[in-house]
Amino acid sequence: MPGGHVTTPFGRRPMTLALVQRQLDVDGIRPGKTVDKWKVFRDVAEARELLGLQDRGIAVLDALLTFYPENELRQDGQLVVFPSNTQLALRAHGMAGATLRRHLGFLVDAGIIIRRDSANGKRYIRKDRAGDIEAAFGFDLSPLLMRAEELAGLAQQVAAARAAFRQAKESLTICRRDIRKLISAAIEEGAPGDWIAIEDAYVALVAKLPRTPRLADVNSLLAEMEALREMILNLLKNSVKAENISSKGAQNEQHIHNSKPQTSNELEPAFETKPEAKPADIQKRESGNSRVFPLGLVLKACPEVINYGPDGAVGSWRDLMAAAIVVRSMLGISPSAYQEACEILGAENAASLMACILERAGHISSPGGYLRSLTDKARRGEFSIGPMLMALLRARGETLRLVV
């Protein structure tokens, strides 16, 4: 392998002590060492950001390696390639001369190649009478052989960081999806809690993620998201426990009432046929279905229904009920389904629900089935129209809070 040349002609990048050291280091390559040139190239490409290289620099290195005839870089081989800038530019996919020279400089600065300059700055080889190479001037690929293990380690480091980043992003996506589903379920089910404020906190967290996040950004946001998810789960768990305790208490009370000693002649016929009183929690949930929200609030959340009112206006509950009948027919909802909703929810709430369904008609494949499903939930005390109105107001950018 040719000796090191530390002089540079006028106009070339200035020689530095670091470059001199690199030229001296390549003389210490272990005898007999070999490495696949394309394996080292892939490692450099993988670790390019750590090496301060860009994609075009990798393209230039690829072109340089094509001028080395063998697949293996060998310690006892001729590792200097000497293409002209014109030849090199052609193999670098027609790269402009100025761009080519700039990225050659970056490869030198990164310690990937070494310049071996002749006295006149030309790149060539000089052979002796026997035909053996006496001197070669061009670009020395020895650093690739010398640093093969280091470059492989850098490539593995980058691959590990990329895998960690991908895993963190996946975990963040799953956590965001969980929170979104939990909040939506809590609002639809009417669970106690300031869910609008919680959703505002969730949206604020999402907004903190930069357009091009780093691993530290994702991990930091993931920690905050997981804390928010844990808080929501605790709220919902406490809500379920409270409901179970209330239900158990009502059942115990009913059991005590029914377990009192009675004889057949102590009960009058009228009492024997009288329906049993419903537990207090069921009465409370059913009474929640009959709550009527202000007409103005319904129209603010569902302005589309106004077009179906008498003369294209809705000024009273009677007008809204008339519009709801038109909407029911237009959406293909059966009269029986709407009548059942009126019986369970009340006429005003049923009309309001039709306005909500109209507002979301583009996202509902079967309006009739959707209405029956919500009616069934309301019958079980599992649905209230308030959260739906809240969601529609929020979608329209309104900040009004409802006390559900």
Side-chain angles (χ1 to χ4, degrees), residues 33-53:
K33 183 177 180 180
T34 63
V35 68
D36 187 316
K37 67 178 182 180
W38 297 118
K39 168 63 170 61
V40 182
F41 170 76
R42 288 192 293 272
D43 290 339
V44 173
E46 184 78 6
R48 61 185 178 276
E49 292 185 3
L50 296 180
L51 295 168
L53 299 175

Side-chain angles (χ1 to χ4, degrees), residues 42 64 73 94 103 122 127 164 200 230 385:
R42 288 192 293 272
L64 280 173
L73 301 174
H103 288 284
K122 300 293 185 180
K127 297 183 179 181
D200 289 343
E230 186 66 22
I385 196 172

Side-chain angles (χ1 to χ4, degrees), residues 9 21 34 36 71 86 162 177 197 232 278 321 330 371:
Q21 185 61 47
T34 63
D36 187 316
N71 283 330
T86 301
R162 184 182 296 114
R177 185 177 59 200
I232 293 173
K278 295 182 179 179
M321 294 175 193
M330 182 188 71
L371 177 62

Side-chain angles (χ1 to χ4, degrees), residues 234-342:
N234 288 335
L235 281 175
L236 294 177
K237 287 178 182 177
N238 293 335
S239 174
V240 171
K241 287 180 181 179
E243 185 175 349
N244 289 339
I245 292 173
S246 175
S247 176
K248 185 176 180 180
Q251 292 174 359
N252 290 339
E253 181 180 352
Q254 185 71 16
H255 175 72
I256 293 171
H257 174 74
N258 292 336
S259 62
K260 292 181 179 180
Q262 297 173 339
T263 60
S264 57
N265 58 3
E266 289 178 343
L267 293 176
E268 297 182 6
F271 290 111
E272 291 177 353
T273 58
K274 183 179 180 180
E276 294 184 0
K278 295 182 179 179
D281 61 328
I282 296 180
Q283 292 178 0
K284 181 179 179 181
R285 282 184 291 181
E286 289 189 349
S287 66
N289 291 330
S290 63
R291 177 185 177 183
V292 178
F293 292 93
L295 177 62
L297 177 63
V298 175
L299 297 180
K300 180 177 288 189
C302 312
E304 289 293 326
V305 75
I306 297 175
N307 299 322
Y308 299 89
D311 300 324
V314 173
S316 64
W317 281 109
R318 183 180 297 275
D319 291 344
L320 181 61
M321 294 175 193
I325 294 175
V326 177
V327 171
R328 176 200 64 73
S329 177
M330 182 188 71
L331 295 179
I333 298 175
S334 66
S336 61
Y338 183 59
Q339 179 62 32
E340 186 178 9
C342 290

Side-chain angles (χ1 to χ4, degrees), residues 70-216:
E70 301 178 28
N71 283 330
E72 285 190 339
L73 301 174
R74 296 182 293 106
Q75 180 268 340
D76 58 352
Q78 165 52 39
L79 298 179
V80 176
V81 294
F82 40 90
S84 66
N85 281 357
T86 301
Q87 293 174 317
L88 196 54
L90 286 174
R91 295 201 186 181
H93 311 292
M95 188 178 294
T99 304
L100 176 69
R101 290 189 293 272
R102 185 169 65 255
H103 288 284
L104 282 170
F106 291 154
L107 288 170
V108 172
D109 293 342
I112 302 302
I113 60 175
I114 295 175
R115 291 185 187 273
R116 302 289 187 183
D117 292 325
S118 64
N120 61 3
K122 300 293 185 180
R123 301 171 197 152
Y124 62 91
I125 59 171
R126 185 170 63 240
K127 297 183 179 181
D128 57 19
R129 291 184 179 182
D132 296 328
I133 296 177
E134 186 178 65
F137 304 98
F139 298 105
D140 191 347
L141 304 176
S142 297
L144 291 174
L145 178 60
M146 179 188 68
R147 302 178 63 190
E149 294 81 8
E150 176 195 351
L151 295 171
L154 291 176
Q156 292 175 4
Q157 179 181 337
V158 171
R162 184 182 296 114
F165 183 67
R166 182 173 60 251
Q167 183 176 358
K169 286 184 67 177
E170 288 176 356
S171 298
L172 179 60
T173 299
I174 293 172
C175 189
R176 288 177 57 179
R177 185 177 59 200
D178 289 347
I179 292 174
R180 181 66 271 173
K181 287 182 177 180
L182 288 170
I183 293 176
S184 297
I187 292 177
E188 290 179 4
E189 301 293 338
D194 192 351
W195 297 106
I196 298 301
I198 292 174
E199 183 165 21
D200 289 343
Y202 165 75
V203 172
L205 284 179
V206 173
K208 291 173 62 176
L209 190 65
R211 184 177 295 274
T212 54
R214 298 171 299 174
L215 178 59

